[in-house]
Amino acid sequence: MTLKHLICDCDGVLLDSESVALAAILDGLSDRADRAQLDAFLRPRLGMTLSHIADDLAQEMGLVLSRAETLHLESVVEARCIAEAQSIRGVRDALVAVGLPLAVASNSSQSRVEAGLKNAGLWSLFADQVYTPGRGLRPKPAPDLYRAACAGLGADPASSLVLEDSVAGVTAARAAGLVVLGFVGARHGEPAAAQRLRDAGASDVFDDMTTLPARLAAWGK
């Protein structure tokens, strides 16, 4: 496989932000359900939109959030992620060393992605190649974001690779015809995460972003 383009999820791949989002959701809901039970429920769903998580909470835990409550929780999560998230260790140097055209495909809001990447010193690597549901695209696990990123880059999915940390993201990328490399090196990672990504369709899983250039070289860049 000759790699020509690299498309990255944002939260949990570029920014170590999913642990911040998880803590914010737990803080917001722990008076409504057992915190440990909520934690176990939420971890496999990180990467999904809060509206999807709210639907699952209602269906599977009987915890119903109003639209206003969901929007408030989204605003709290966004504010905390912008303020607290840091870049994944070694990610900027790794992306520069890889030297491929880059794009971001994220379920987060455009403003959150832009602010987070700018705070982490990563924004300049992606220019205008940032794709979020704010562009009128369906969120992951639908394939729209990855299809749009390929179109924006002028990329053939067969020669492009995705970095993802969530089941929803892997599912979306695979549905768009892309090969996926799973990343489990962020702070929210857990032992079961690697197998979940493989089961969703990731071709391989790794936990150290500094190894990315060597891994992609081995794929035949």
Side-chain angles (χ1 to χ4, degrees):
M1 176 183 181
T2 300
L3 296 178
K4 295 183 178 180
H5 300 88
L6 180 63
I7 306 172
C8 305
D9 178 41
C10 183
D11 299 296
V13 172
L14 301 174
L15 301 178
D16 202 349
S17 50
E18 291 289 30
S19 60
V20 178
L22 176 62
I25 298 171
L26 289 171
D27 290 346
L29 298 179
S30 57
D31 63 338
R32 310 261 307 261
D34 177 76
R35 192 176 181 95
Q37 184 182 8
L38 275 173
D39 186 282
F41 176 86
L42 291 168
R43 283 184 184 274
R45 292 169 173 80
L46 294 173
M48 296 172 63
T49 63
L50 259 173
S51 61
H52 284 157
I53 290 174
D55 289 343
D56 282 358
L57 280 169
Q59 293 172 11
E60 299 185 31
M61 291 186 63
L63 176 53
V64 179
L65 300 180
S66 69
R67 177 63 176 160
E69 289 172 325
T70 301
L71 289 173
H72 173 70
L73 192 55
E74 283 180 340
S75 69
V76 171
V77 170
E78 178 162 327
R80 284 186 58 174
C81 285
I82 290 172
E84 300 175 29
Q86 300 177 348
S87 63
I88 293 291
R89 184 180 68 87
V91 70
R92 193 181 200 288
D93 288 345
L95 294 176
V96 170
V98 164
L100 294 173
L102 302 170
V104 175
S106 172
N107 269 356
S108 294
S109 70
Q110 194 82 13
S111 59
R112 172 176 159 184
V113 172
E114 181 172 349
L117 294 180
K118 285 181 176 178
N119 288 346
L122 299 173
W123 179 255
S124 62
L125 298 180
F126 297 95
D128 60 344
Q129 296 299 318
V130 176
Y131 299 87
T132 69
R135 290 192 172 201
L137 303 166
R138 290 181 300 167
K140 308 168 193 177
D144 299 33
L145 292 168
Y146 282 113
R147 287 175 176 164
C150 286
L153 288 171
D156 178 358
S159 60
S160 304
L161 184 73
V162 166
L163 301 184
E164 263 290 354
D165 73 309
S166 73
V167 169
V170 174
T171 301
R174 293 296 296 131
L178 291 148
V179 175
V180 185
L181 192 58
F183 180 69
V184 293
R187 286 177 294 171
H188 69 282
E190 53 174 334
Q195 191 58 52
R196 282 200 297 267
L197 296 184
R198 289 189 178 96
D199 291 344
S203 296
D204 198 5
V205 178
F206 72 115
D207 62 3
D208 183 353
M209 198 60 75
T210 66
T211 68
L212 181 65
R215 288 176 181 277
L216 297 196
W219 279 51
K221 175 190 168 188

